[in-house]
Amino acid sequence: MTGTDASLPAGVVRREFDGRDRLATRGEPVYGEPTDGEWRAWDAGRSKLGGMLELGMETGLSGGETVLYLGAANGTTVSHVADFAGATYAVEFSPRPVRDLLDACEPRPNLFPLLKDARRPETYAHVVEADCDVLVQDVATRGQADVAVRNRRFLADDGRLLLAVKTRSEDVAAAPEAVFEETVADLEPTYEVLETRRLGRFHEDHLGVVATPR
Amino acid sequence: MTTDDAADADATAHSSAWFAAGDTESTGDRIRSGSADAPADWPTLAVESGFAVDEAEYYGKLREATVEAARAAVDERERADDRQLLHAVRAMDDAERVANELAERVAEWAGTLFPDAGTGVEGCRDIAERDPDGPAEERVVSLASRVADLDRESDDLEAFIESRAPVAAPNLAALAGPVLAARLISLAGGLEALAKKPSGTLQVLGAEDALFAHLRGHGSSPKHGVIYTHEYVRGTRPEDRGSASRALAGKLTIAARIDHYSGDYRPELEAELDERMRTIRARAGDTAAGGDGGGSE
Ligand SMILES: C[S@@+](CC[C@H](N)C(=O)[O-])C[C@H]1O[C@@H](n2cnc3c(N)ncnc32)[C@H](O)[C@@H]1O
């Protein structure tokens, strides 16, 4: 059974896998996720964006958009994004996961891998197009707000930033709330924050943020 | 902006585009090494400039170029990986050792020719600058300049290690520092071998002589090997060095495993180590302040 859900982008559905209702996209499997015909389960426990969608956050995604994805790692999440989005630029700075990312790119002609450092947007601004509809960021590294601010230049004025903030990346000792507040405050001059939500059930110590450029 | 300005801006943007005609570079190379201050509407510019007939063709070419670039970059970095570090750190140590040995020889010899000759590598650098008078001085000055060169080589090797270790082993390099990271990889015989060692072994890597002596029944079991050079061991008071070495070795082992098996950088490891060390070092403060509650480690 496949259910459509108004808060989900076209190309993302709820579907039953092994008796459990889960998110799914249509595409070649990437990380050993269960499949059912053309559909493959999108594991929200392994994907911050999956968690944000599961929790019903207003991502503004409708399907077919141009996406810049920062922190693509081995392609777990960005492969699902490429299944429902248009041109999808995947930035990752660590060579090892990029090997697997290349495998995920193989059957996805709209997924463009870039071995680049997200803190240095000028090193990929000659490749990534202007006015992207969506900036997804999951870098789990110190200075997450700063990365989002620096990459504002790629986003259309009415675009969306979908950000996963990991508290432990900023300061292991500080209370998560304090880190969330500080990160949101650092975003504020550049972005209008539309929604924040703890990803608790799916990802401990993570905050999901939806924002739009000011 | 007038239309002309806009056209100029387009032309400037266009010259930095990844698809702008380069003389010798492939588009893959331009993806890797190019840059631009700001993005532009590349698909449209590419079609206007005739690079692609339409957007679909543009994206096809983009895909091909980005995949080629990523694959080449990954291959290159992996080739440049742990083996290169292993050789570089051994070469650095050799260069330094030989420089010091030769410097002693130079000092001895130079002392017979130049009354004010200094010693060590520093002394050699000074002698290397002099104008030799006669064949004997010529030899000594020449030898001294080899020492100065070797010393410079060792510095260059260290700089190379500093730039490569964070790529080959990002977590290990962050926690241990690039040079110690390279030493551990070298002592283990590679990153994979290091990742497979238990933390107790990593802790005494480089202290094999002391360890074997201990196993033969001479001397106490070594608490640390080359990790002694880490500030967290050396800078911890002697009573706590055992705990400090154990804690450091534990985190370095995890770092080596993450570097080998996944390769992504986890800044939280460093923060956890800092936290653990704060706890260990706080004991010194406790004993100094109250004198109670200590002594049972
Ligand atoms: C939590 S993982 C991302 C997981 C991925 N988003 C997914 O759900 O499939 C974080 C990734 O960000 C990468 N990263 C960290 N700092 C980065 C930077 N400055 N530039 C690019 N990637 C970075 C790390 O190497 C790591 O692979």
Side-chain angles (χ1 to χ4, degrees):
Chain A
M1 243 209 60
T2 302
T4 42
D5 183 325
S7 75
L8 294 177
V12 184
V13 298
R14 285 186 195 286
R15 211 179 156 82
E16 219 177 89
F17 289 89
D18 312 321
R20 245 185 352 118
D21 197 36
R22 300 173 73 172
L23 295 175
T25 61
R26 228 177 325 204
E28 292 286 322
V30 168
Y31 49 100
E33 68 278 21
T35 56
D36 178 5
E38 304 182 279
W39 296 93
R40 60 190 192 107
W42 184 349
D43 189 344
R46 292 176 62 170
S47 166
K48 266 68 98 184
L49 185 60
M52 289 168 75
L53 289 171
E54 277 283 11
L55 293 169
M57 288 184 79
E58 295 281 340
T59 60
L61 290 169
S62 58
E65 38 275 282
T66 300
V67 179
L68 171 57
Y69 192 110
L70 306 176
N74 50 15
T76 303
T77 301
V78 79
S79 63
H80 286 290
V81 172
D83 286 348
F84 69 81
T88 304
Y89 299 88
V91 173
E92 169 58 53
F93 79 162
S94 173
R96 238 167 279 248
V98 169
R99 277 230 176 278
D100 297 333
L101 177 61
L102 282 165
D103 291 340
C105 288
E106 193 78 46
R108 294 181 172 80
N110 59 327
L111 182 52
F112 312 118
L114 292 165
L115 183 63
K116 303 280 181 184
D117 184 340
R119 287 167 299 194
R120 301 186 54 208
E122 68 282 4
T123 62
Y124 47 89
H126 65 306
V127 183
V128 177
E129 62 196 83
D131 294 328
C132 289
D133 303 303
V134 185
L135 172 61
V136 183
Q137 180 185 317
D138 179 17
V139 292
T141 185
R142 233 172 271 194
Q144 296 164 101
D146 184 47
V147 170
V149 167
R150 289 188 201 195
N151 284 275
R152 152 68 180 94
R153 69 187 76 177
F154 296 102
L155 207 47
D157 291 338
D158 61 351
R160 285 280 185 284
L161 166 68
L162 307 177
L163 168 69
V165 179
K166 185 178 186 187
T167 50
R168 293 174 65 80
S169 297
E170 299 293 334
D171 182 348
V172 272
E177 286 70 21
V179 175
F180 290 150
E181 268 171 39
E182 201 174 310
T183 308
V184 169
D186 290 345
L187 289 173
E188 286 287 353
T190 312
Y191 291 98
E192 181 190 344
V193 174
L194 304 174
E195 189 183 0
T196 62
R197 191 92 167 253
R198 296 286 292 253
L199 302 182
R201 178 151 66 92
F202 299 105
H203 301 275
E204 240 183 273
D205 288 331
H206 279 82
L207 185 73
V209 177
V210 180
T212 188
R214 280 200 193 275
Chain B
M1 215 190 245
T2 66
T3 338
D4 274 1
D5 287 346
D8 281 354
D10 267 7
T12 335
H14 186 244
S15 69
S16 55
W18 67 273
F19 50 81
D23 22 351
T24 52
E25 276 183 326
S26 73
T27 49
D29 289 341
R30 282 190 69 104
I31 298 255
R32 292 180 62 189
S33 59
S35 71
D37 289 335
D41 185 357
W42 303 129
T44 305
L45 286 170
V47 173
E48 279 171 4
S49 74
F51 174 74
V53 294
D54 56 14
E55 274 204 2
E57 192 192 31
Y58 170 77
Y59 283 123
K61 288 183 160 186
L62 173 64
R63 224 290 287 219
E64 210 175 295
T66 50
V67 166
E68 178 204 308
R71 187 156 287 144
V74 167
D75 284 350
E76 193 174 287
R77 301 251 204 121
E78 289 195 341
R79 244 183 290 119
D81 260 11
D82 59 327
R83 307 305 303 170
Q84 301 303 311
L85 278 180
L86 173 152
H87 291 300
V89 77
R90 290 178 186 175
M92 178 182 88
D93 288 345
D94 288 347
E96 198 179 311
R97 181 176 40 75
V98 173
N100 285 322
E101 271 175 30
L102 276 180
E104 274 181 43
R105 172 71 53 234
V106 170
E108 228 176 278
W109 192 355
T112 66
L113 298 167
F114 310 105
D116 61 337
T119 57
V121 172
E122 199 47 54
C124 287
R125 265 197 291 267
D126 168 52
I127 290 167
E129 299 289 298
R130 300 189 185 197
D131 251 345
D133 186 8
E137 286 192 16
E138 244 168 51
R139 298 291 22 103
V140 173
V141 169
S142 165
L143 195 58
S145 71
R146 312 283 161 160
V147 174
D149 281 350
L150 259 183
D151 182 60
R152 206 167 315 119
E153 188 58 46
S154 148
D155 287 349
D156 290 350
L157 284 163
E158 182 168 359
F160 172 82
I161 292 165
E162 277 167 358
S163 78
R164 288 304 182 88
V167 177
N171 294 289
L172 192 63
L175 263 58
V179 172
L180 178 55
R183 283 223 159 85
L184 289 166
I185 289 172
S186 157
L187 285 164
L191 180 58
E192 177 167 9
L194 184 64
K196 290 183 170 157
K197 294 205 185 303
S199 100
T201 306
L202 185 151
Q203 193 183 334
V204 295
L205 272 181
E208 284 75 11
D209 292 350
L211 186 64
F212 291 134
H214 166 68
L215 294 177
R216 282 194 307 268
H218 313 292
S220 58
S221 135
K223 287 201 220 38
H224 39 65
V226 69
I227 64 166
Y228 180 75
T229 56
H230 196 286
E231 165 57 22
Y232 272 152
V233 179
R234 215 182 27 182
T236 298
R237 56 176 200 154
E239 303 91 294
D240 291 328
R241 264 183 211 155
S243 331
S245 309
R246 245 189 328 279
L248 177 62
K251 281 287 179 251
L252 294 181
T253 304
I254 295 170
R257 288 179 190 163
I258 297 173
D259 286 339
H260 175 65
Y261 293 105
S262 98
D264 48 307
Y265 172 55
R266 312 254 175 95
E268 63 267 27
L269 274 183
E270 204 177 343
E272 286 162 16
L273 176 65
D274 293 347
E275 182 53 37
R276 179 81 190 102
M277 286 298 161
R278 257 196 298 281
T279 314
I280 291 175
R281 288 180 168 187
R283 292 184 205 156
D286 292 350
T287 350
D292 57 349
S296 61
E297 175 101 16

